[in-house]
Amino acid sequence: RRMSATLYVLSTLGGYVLTSALLLKCPGLLHRPKRQRFRCRHISHRGGAGENLENTMAAFHHAVNLGTDMLELDCHLTKDEQVVVSHDENLKRSTGVDVNISDLKYSELPPYLCKLDVTFQKECQCEGEDNRIPLLQEVFEAFPETPVNIDIKMNNNVLIRKVSELVIQYKREHLTVWGNVNYEIVSKCFKENSDIPIIFCAQRVLLLLGLFYTGLLPFIPFKEEFFEIPMPSIILKLKEPQKMSRSQKFVIWLADTLLMRKALFDHLTARGIQVYIWVLNEEHEYKRAFDLGATGVMTDYPTKLKEFLHNYP
Protein backbone atom coordinates (compact mmCIF):
# COMPACT_ATOMS: atom_id res chain seq x y z
CA ARG A 1 0.00 0.00 0.00
CA ARG A 2 2.90 2.35 0.85
CA MET A 3 4.54 1.52 -2.50
CA SER A 4 1.38 2.30 -4.47
CA ALA A 5 0.99 5.62 -2.64
CA THR A 6 4.59 6.53 -3.49
CA LEU A 7 4.05 5.64 -7.14
CA TYR A 8 0.89 7.74 -7.20
CA VAL A 9 2.70 10.75 -5.76
CA LEU A 10 5.59 10.35 -8.20
CA SER A 11 3.30 10.00 -11.21
CA THR A 12 1.25 13.02 -10.13
CA LEU A 13 4.37 15.07 -9.59
CA GLY A 14 5.76 13.95 -12.94
CA GLY A 15 2.54 14.93 -14.69
CA TYR A 16 2.62 18.33 -13.01
CA VAL A 17 6.24 18.95 -14.03
CA LEU A 18 5.61 17.91 -17.64
CA THR A 19 2.44 20.02 -17.89
CA SER A 20 4.18 23.03 -16.36
CA ALA A 21 7.15 22.67 -18.72
CA LEU A 22 4.84 22.37 -21.74
CA LEU A 23 2.80 25.44 -20.78
CA LEU A 24 5.94 27.41 -19.97
CA LYS A 25 7.08 26.87 -23.56
CA CYS A 26 3.60 27.12 -25.10
CA PRO A 27 1.47 29.41 -22.89
CA GLY A 28 -0.95 29.97 -25.77
CA LEU A 29 -2.45 26.56 -24.95
CA LEU A 30 -3.92 28.10 -21.79
CA HIS A 31 -3.78 31.88 -22.14
CA ARG A 32 -4.82 34.21 -24.91
CA PRO A 33 -1.86 36.57 -25.54
CA LYS A 34 -2.48 40.15 -24.47
CA ARG A 35 -3.17 42.54 -27.32
CA GLN A 36 -0.07 44.68 -27.75
CA ARG A 37 -1.04 48.20 -28.76
CA PHE A 38 2.63 49.09 -29.26
CA ARG A 39 5.97 47.33 -28.90
CA CYS A 40 9.09 49.19 -27.78
CA ARG A 41 12.78 48.31 -27.98
CA HIS A 42 14.30 51.78 -27.51
CA ILE A 43 13.11 53.56 -24.35
CA SER A 44 14.54 56.91 -23.25
CA HIS A 45 14.81 57.03 -19.45
CA ARG A 46 13.71 60.46 -18.17
CA GLY A 47 13.95 61.44 -21.82
CA GLY A 48 17.63 60.50 -21.95
CA ALA A 49 19.19 61.89 -18.77
CA GLY A 50 22.73 61.41 -20.05
CA GLU A 51 22.30 63.60 -23.11
CA ASN A 52 19.97 66.36 -21.85
CA LEU A 53 18.75 67.51 -18.46
CA GLU A 54 16.37 64.81 -17.23
CA ASN A 55 12.61 65.09 -17.72
CA THR A 56 12.80 68.30 -19.78
CA MET A 57 11.11 69.08 -23.07
CA ALA A 58 14.56 69.38 -24.67
CA ALA A 59 15.34 65.81 -23.61
CA PHE A 60 12.01 64.51 -24.92
CA HIS A 61 12.35 66.32 -28.27
CA HIS A 62 15.90 65.01 -28.69
CA ALA A 63 14.86 61.42 -27.98
CA VAL A 64 11.83 61.52 -30.27
CA ASN A 65 13.87 63.11 -33.08
CA LEU A 66 16.35 60.23 -32.71
CA GLY A 67 13.49 57.79 -33.20
CA THR A 68 12.99 56.47 -29.67
CA ASP A 69 10.06 54.07 -29.33
CA MET A 70 9.01 55.34 -25.90
CA LEU A 71 9.56 58.16 -23.42
CA GLU A 72 9.87 57.24 -19.75
CA LEU A 73 9.08 59.98 -17.23
CA ASP A 74 7.97 60.67 -13.65
CA CYS A 75 5.01 62.67 -12.34
CA HIS A 76 4.17 64.73 -9.26
CA LEU A 77 1.38 67.10 -8.28
CA THR A 78 1.84 70.79 -7.41
CA LYS A 79 -0.06 72.71 -4.73
CA ASP A 80 -2.44 74.03 -7.41
CA GLU A 81 -2.98 70.46 -8.69
CA GLN A 82 -0.92 70.66 -11.86
CA VAL A 83 0.66 67.38 -13.01
CA VAL A 84 4.36 68.07 -13.55
CA VAL A 85 7.16 65.93 -14.93
CA SER A 86 9.83 65.49 -12.27
CA HIS A 87 11.55 62.52 -10.66
CA ASP A 88 11.93 63.94 -7.16
CA GLU A 89 9.24 65.28 -4.84
CA ASN A 90 11.89 67.31 -3.02
CA LEU A 91 13.75 69.60 -5.42
CA LYS A 92 17.04 69.92 -3.51
CA ARG A 93 18.96 67.53 -5.80
CA SER A 94 17.64 68.86 -9.09
CA THR A 95 17.24 72.60 -8.40
CA GLY A 96 19.32 73.31 -5.33
CA VAL A 97 16.20 74.53 -3.49
CA ASP A 98 15.11 72.42 -0.51
CA VAL A 99 11.36 72.45 -1.15
CA ASN A 100 8.67 69.93 -2.07
CA ILE A 101 6.73 70.17 -5.32
CA SER A 102 3.47 69.67 -3.44
CA ASP A 103 4.14 72.83 -1.39
CA LEU A 104 4.46 75.11 -4.42
CA LYS A 105 2.17 76.32 -7.19
CA TYR A 106 3.37 75.47 -10.68
CA SER A 107 4.35 79.10 -11.33
CA GLU A 108 6.56 79.02 -8.21
CA LEU A 109 8.66 75.97 -9.16
CA PRO A 110 12.39 76.76 -9.36
CA PRO A 111 14.37 75.85 -12.52
CA TYR A 112 16.66 72.85 -12.73
CA LEU A 113 20.36 73.33 -12.11
CA CYS A 114 22.33 73.67 -15.35
CA LYS A 115 24.26 70.49 -14.52
CA LEU A 116 22.83 67.28 -13.01
CA ASP A 117 24.31 63.91 -12.07
CA VAL A 118 23.29 60.96 -14.24
CA THR A 119 21.84 58.65 -11.59
CA PHE A 120 22.64 55.38 -13.33
CA GLN A 121 26.06 56.32 -14.71
CA LYS A 122 28.64 56.74 -11.99
CA GLU A 123 30.51 60.05 -11.86
CA CYS A 124 28.79 61.36 -14.98
CA GLN A 125 26.96 64.67 -15.27
CA CYS A 126 24.79 66.20 -17.95
CA GLU A 127 24.42 69.86 -18.86
CA GLY A 128 21.56 71.58 -20.62
CA GLU A 129 19.97 74.94 -21.32
CA ASP A 130 16.33 73.88 -20.98
CA ASN A 131 15.93 73.90 -17.20
CA ARG A 132 12.16 74.26 -16.89
CA ILE A 133 10.01 71.64 -15.18
CA PRO A 134 7.31 70.80 -17.77
CA LEU A 135 3.69 69.81 -17.42
CA LEU A 136 2.60 66.32 -18.43
CA GLN A 137 0.05 68.03 -20.66
CA GLU A 138 2.90 69.61 -22.67
CA VAL A 139 4.43 66.19 -23.30
CA PHE A 140 1.11 64.78 -24.52
CA GLU A 141 0.57 67.77 -26.81
CA ALA A 142 4.09 67.69 -28.25
CA PHE A 143 4.23 63.93 -28.91
CA PRO A 144 0.72 62.69 -29.75
CA GLU A 145 1.98 59.51 -31.43
CA THR A 146 4.77 58.55 -28.99
CA PRO A 147 4.15 55.96 -26.24
CA VAL A 148 4.83 57.33 -22.75
CA ASN A 149 5.75 55.29 -19.67
CA ILE A 150 4.61 57.17 -16.55
CA ASP A 151 6.00 56.49 -13.08
CA ILE A 152 3.43 57.76 -10.57
CA LYS A 153 5.85 58.86 -7.87
CA MET A 154 3.42 59.58 -5.02
CA ASN A 155 0.55 57.62 -3.48
CA ASN A 156 -1.84 60.48 -4.13
CA ASN A 157 -5.41 59.89 -5.29
CA VAL A 158 -5.66 63.31 -6.91
CA LEU A 159 -2.43 62.77 -8.86
CA ILE A 160 -3.67 59.42 -10.15
CA ARG A 161 -7.04 60.89 -11.12
CA LYS A 162 -5.47 63.90 -12.84
CA VAL A 163 -3.10 61.72 -14.89
CA SER A 164 -6.00 59.51 -15.94
CA GLU A 165 -8.03 62.56 -16.95
CA LEU A 166 -5.14 63.84 -19.09
CA VAL A 167 -4.72 60.44 -20.76
CA ILE A 168 -8.44 60.39 -21.57
CA GLN A 169 -8.44 64.03 -22.72
CA TYR A 170 -5.64 63.37 -25.21
CA LYS A 171 -7.03 59.95 -26.19
CA ARG A 172 -3.84 58.17 -25.16
CA GLU A 173 -5.07 55.01 -23.43
CA HIS A 174 -3.48 53.01 -26.25
CA LEU A 175 -0.16 54.91 -25.95
CA THR A 176 0.36 55.06 -22.19
CA VAL A 177 1.76 52.76 -19.48
CA TRP A 178 1.62 53.71 -15.82
CA GLY A 179 2.45 52.39 -12.38
CA ASN A 180 5.09 52.32 -9.67
CA VAL A 181 7.07 49.85 -7.56
CA ASN A 182 4.45 50.38 -4.84
CA TYR A 183 1.58 47.85 -4.81
CA GLU A 184 -1.02 50.31 -3.52
CA ILE A 185 -0.22 52.91 -6.21
CA VAL A 186 -0.54 50.37 -9.03
CA SER A 187 -3.79 49.03 -7.56
CA LYS A 188 -5.22 52.55 -7.46
CA CYS A 189 -4.10 53.19 -11.04
CA PHE A 190 -5.87 50.06 -12.27
CA LYS A 191 -9.00 50.91 -10.29
CA GLU A 192 -9.01 54.48 -11.59
CA ASN A 193 -8.65 53.54 -15.27
CA SER A 194 -8.28 49.90 -16.28
CA ASP A 195 -7.96 50.91 -19.95
CA ILE A 196 -4.41 52.17 -19.30
CA PRO A 197 -1.93 49.26 -19.14
CA ILE A 198 -0.08 48.79 -15.83
CA ILE A 199 3.33 47.45 -14.80
CA PHE A 200 4.19 44.79 -12.23
CA CYS A 201 4.93 46.45 -8.87
CA ALA A 202 7.81 45.10 -6.73
CA GLN A 203 5.50 42.86 -4.70
CA ARG A 204 4.01 41.32 -7.83
CA VAL A 205 7.48 40.83 -9.36
CA LEU A 206 8.44 38.76 -6.30
CA LEU A 207 5.19 36.78 -6.59
CA LEU A 208 5.85 36.15 -10.27
CA LEU A 209 9.36 34.88 -9.51
CA GLY A 210 7.99 32.54 -6.84
CA LEU A 211 5.47 31.18 -9.32
CA PHE A 212 8.19 30.76 -11.96
CA TYR A 213 10.50 28.73 -9.71
CA THR A 214 7.70 26.52 -8.38
CA GLY A 215 6.37 25.80 -11.86
CA LEU A 216 3.03 27.51 -11.19
CA LEU A 217 3.58 30.54 -13.43
CA PRO A 218 2.09 29.00 -16.62
CA PHE A 219 -1.23 28.39 -14.83
CA ILE A 220 -1.75 31.91 -13.41
CA PRO A 221 -3.39 34.82 -15.31
CA PHE A 222 -2.13 38.40 -14.88
CA LYS A 223 -3.74 41.79 -15.41
CA GLU A 224 -0.36 43.53 -15.84
CA GLU A 225 0.95 44.04 -19.37
CA PHE A 226 4.51 45.27 -18.68
CA PHE A 227 7.29 43.60 -16.69
CA GLU A 228 9.74 46.42 -15.93
CA ILE A 229 12.72 45.39 -13.82
CA PRO A 230 16.27 46.52 -13.10
CA MET A 231 19.30 44.49 -14.09
CA PRO A 232 20.65 43.87 -10.56
CA SER A 233 24.27 43.63 -11.71
CA ILE A 234 24.33 47.35 -12.56
CA ILE A 235 24.38 48.08 -8.81
CA LEU A 236 28.00 46.90 -8.78
CA LYS A 237 28.79 49.60 -11.32
CA LEU A 238 27.14 52.36 -9.31
CA LYS A 239 28.80 51.67 -5.96
CA GLU A 240 32.41 51.37 -4.79
CA PRO A 241 33.09 47.60 -5.01
CA GLN A 242 35.75 47.80 -2.32
CA LYS A 243 33.22 49.30 0.10
CA MET A 244 30.71 46.48 -0.40
CA SER A 245 30.68 43.48 1.89
CA ARG A 246 30.81 39.92 0.61
CA SER A 247 27.21 39.37 1.66
CA GLN A 248 26.05 42.45 -0.27
CA LYS A 249 27.82 41.24 -3.41
CA PHE A 250 26.30 37.79 -2.94
CA VAL A 251 22.77 39.22 -2.65
CA ILE A 252 23.28 41.23 -5.86
CA TRP A 253 24.64 38.15 -7.65
CA LEU A 254 21.73 36.02 -6.42
CA ALA A 255 19.12 38.61 -7.43
CA ASP A 256 20.71 38.91 -10.87
CA THR A 257 20.81 35.14 -11.31
CA LEU A 258 17.17 34.68 -10.28
CA LEU A 259 15.77 37.63 -12.23
CA MET A 260 17.71 37.61 -15.50
CA ARG A 261 16.24 34.39 -16.95
CA LYS A 262 15.63 33.87 -20.64
CA ALA A 263 12.99 31.18 -20.01
CA LEU A 264 11.04 33.66 -17.89
CA PHE A 265 11.30 36.49 -20.42
CA ASP A 266 10.36 34.22 -23.32
CA HIS A 267 7.29 32.95 -21.46
CA LEU A 268 6.07 36.45 -20.61
CA THR A 269 6.70 37.64 -24.16
CA ALA A 270 4.69 34.73 -25.54
CA ARG A 271 1.81 35.83 -23.31
CA GLY A 272 1.96 39.35 -24.73
CA ILE A 273 3.64 40.84 -21.65
CA GLN A 274 6.50 43.13 -22.66
CA VAL A 275 9.76 42.92 -20.70
CA TYR A 276 11.68 46.19 -20.16
CA ILE A 277 15.08 46.26 -18.41
CA TRP A 278 16.38 49.42 -16.72
CA VAL A 279 18.53 51.47 -16.60
CA LEU A 280 21.25 50.27 -18.98
CA ASN A 281 23.92 52.59 -20.36
CA GLU A 282 26.65 50.33 -21.75
CA GLU A 283 26.73 48.24 -24.93
CA HIS A 284 27.47 45.00 -23.08
CA GLU A 285 24.41 45.64 -20.88
CA TYR A 286 22.22 46.26 -23.94
CA LYS A 287 23.48 43.05 -25.52
CA ARG A 288 22.88 40.96 -22.43
CA ALA A 289 19.32 42.25 -22.04
CA PHE A 290 18.34 41.60 -25.66
CA ASP A 291 20.15 38.24 -25.76
CA LEU A 292 18.04 37.21 -22.75
CA GLY A 293 14.88 38.07 -24.69
CA ALA A 294 13.97 41.48 -23.26
CA THR A 295 11.47 43.39 -25.38
CA GLY A 296 13.09 46.74 -24.70
CA VAL A 297 15.77 48.60 -22.79
CA MET A 298 15.54 51.87 -20.86
CA THR A 299 18.65 54.03 -21.23
CA ASP A 300 19.99 57.45 -20.28
CA TYR A 301 21.87 57.53 -23.60
CA PRO A 302 19.37 57.22 -26.46
CA THR A 303 22.02 57.94 -29.12
CA LYS A 304 24.21 55.09 -27.86
CA LEU A 305 21.27 52.66 -27.76
CA LYS A 306 20.19 53.69 -31.25
CA GLU A 307 23.69 52.95 -32.60
CA PHE A 308 23.72 49.60 -30.81
CA LEU A 309 20.33 48.56 -32.22
CA HIS A 310 21.45 49.56 -35.72
CA ASN A 311 24.10 46.83 -35.54
CA TYR A 312 22.24 44.31 -33.38
CA PRO A 313 20.55 41.53 -35.37
Side-chain angles (χ1 to χ4, degrees), residues 16 19-34 215-222 267 270-272:
Y16 166 72
T19 304
S20 177
L22 174 64
L23 291 175
L24 187 71
K25 287 282 189 182
C26 308
L29 295 174
L30 187 61
H31 304 282
R32 178 181 295 176
K34 295 183 182 295
L216 289 167
L217 178 61
F219 303 99
I220 308 298
F222 292 102
H267 174 79
R271 288 175 63 168

Side-chain angles (χ1 to χ4, degrees), residues 170-183:
Y170 288 93
K171 298 179 173 57
R172 291 188 53 93
E173 291 95 333
H174 65 295
L175 288 173
T176 306
V177 187
W178 65 345
N180 185 267
V181 296
N182 180 281
Y183 174 82

Side-chain angles (χ1 to χ4, degrees), residues 36-54:
Q36 296 185 343
R37 292 172 272 195
F38 53 83
R39 188 175 173 87
C40 302
R41 299 182 82 198
H42 186 295
I43 306 160
S44 297
H45 178 248
R46 303 184 197 174
E51 297 179 11
N52 286 273
L53 293 182
E54 64 181 57

Side-chain angles (χ1 to χ4, degrees), residues 8 15 60 79 87 93 104 118 133 142 148 155 167 169 172 178 219 230 247-248 261 278 288 302 307:
Y8 173 77
F60 300 139
K79 187 177 181 179
H87 182 271
R93 175 190 70 90
L104 298 177
V118 181
I133 298 176
V148 174
N155 188 355
V167 171
Q169 178 184 341
R172 291 188 53 93
W178 65 345
F219 303 99
S247 60
Q248 287 175 320
R261 298 300 301 271
W278 56 267
R288 184 185 181 209
E307 291 170 354

Side-chain angles (χ1 to χ4, degrees), residues 91-103:
L91 295 173
K92 176 69 174 174
R93 175 190 70 90
S94 57
T95 72
V97 182
D98 188 7
V99 66
N100 291 334
I101 289 176
S102 57
D103 292 331

Side-chain angles (χ1 to χ4, degrees), residues 33-303:
K34 295 183 182 295
R35 179 171 59 91
Q36 296 185 343
R37 292 172 272 195
F38 53 83
R39 188 175 173 87
C40 302
R41 299 182 82 198
H42 186 295
I43 306 160
S44 297
H45 178 248
R46 303 184 197 174
E51 297 179 11
N52 286 273
L53 293 182
E54 64 181 57
N55 280 322
T56 59
M57 292 304 294
F60 300 139
H61 277 290
H62 173 69
V64 170
N65 290 338
L66 273 174
T68 194
D69 297 321
M70 171 182 276
L71 296 172
E72 188 275 344
L73 52 80
D74 313 275
C75 282
H76 285 277
L77 196 69
T78 62
K79 187 177 181 179
D80 54 344
E81 296 190 347
Q82 297 294 305
V83 180
V84 297
V85 180
S86 171
H87 182 271
D88 303 348
E89 158 69 352
N90 185 277
L91 295 173
K92 176 69 174 174
R93 175 190 70 90
S94 57
T95 72
V97 182
D98 188 7
V99 66
N100 291 334
I101 289 176
S102 57
D103 292 331
L104 298 177
K105 295 179 181 178
Y106 179 63
S107 60
E108 299 170 335
L109 293 179
Y112 283 130
L113 297 170
C114 61
K115 185 183 294 185
L116 293 176
D117 290 335
V118 181
T119 305
F120 291 93
Q121 192 70 8
K122 188 179 174 184
E123 296 180 354
C124 284
Q125 292 185 314
C126 183
E127 299 182 35
E129 295 181 2
D130 180 9
N131 59 0
R132 186 178 61 85
I133 298 176
L135 294 164
L136 179 62
Q137 178 178 343
E138 294 179 72
V139 179
F140 285 174
E141 288 176 351
F143 312 107
E145 305 299 326
T146 303
V148 174
N149 192 309
I150 301 174
D151 191 345
I152 304 293
K153 301 304 287 187
M154 302 294 287
N155 188 355
N156 182 308
N157 294 343
V158 178
L159 172 61
I160 292 169
R161 176 171 56 81
K162 290 278 187 178
V163 171
S164 175
E165 288 173 354
L166 285 169
V167 171
I168 293 169
Q169 178 184 341
Y170 288 93
K171 298 179 173 57
R172 291 188 53 93
E173 291 95 333
H174 65 295
L175 288 173
T176 306
V177 187
W178 65 345
N180 185 267
V181 296
N182 180 281
Y183 174 82
E184 191 174 352
I185 292 177
V186 176
S187 298
K188 287 181 177 180
C189 287
F190 188 75
K191 186 177 180 181
E192 178 68 35
N193 190 337
S194 60
D195 290 331
I196 307 174
I198 56 172
I199 67 172
F200 283 84
C201 65
Q203 184 178 329
R204 296 276 288 175
V205 168
L206 293 176
L207 170 65
L208 187 145
L209 281 179
L211 294 171
F212 174 67
Y213 284 104
T214 56
L216 289 167
L217 178 61
F219 303 99
I220 308 298
F222 292 102
K223 62 180 180 292
E224 296 91 345
E225 297 183 36
F226 293 84
F227 187 65
E228 300 182 4
I229 53 172
M231 182 180 285
S233 62
I234 68 170
I235 298 171
L236 295 171
K237 181 183 74 173
L238 301 176
K239 298 191 175 184
E240 299 286 348
Q242 65 271 20
K243 294 182 180 178
M244 298 180 69
S245 66
R246 240 180 228 181
S247 60
Q248 287 175 320
K249 291 180 180 178
F250 173 76
V251 169
I252 293 169
W253 171 84
L254 181 63
D256 195 86
T257 301
L258 293 175
L259 203 52
M260 297 291 105
R261 298 300 301 271
K262 182 170 174 56
L264 172 61
F265 296 172
D266 287 348
H267 174 79
L268 293 175
T269 300
R271 288 175 63 168
I273 297 171
Q274 296 189 49
V275 178
Y276 296 160
I277 312 296
W278 56 267
V279 168
L280 310 184
N281 291 327
E282 306 289 350
E283 286 196 8
H284 67 90
E285 296 166 353
Y286 301 156
K287 185 176 188 306
R288 184 185 181 209
F290 285 116
D291 285 351
L292 285 170
T295 314
V297 160
M298 292 187 188
T299 186
D300 291 315
Y301 296 90
T303 302

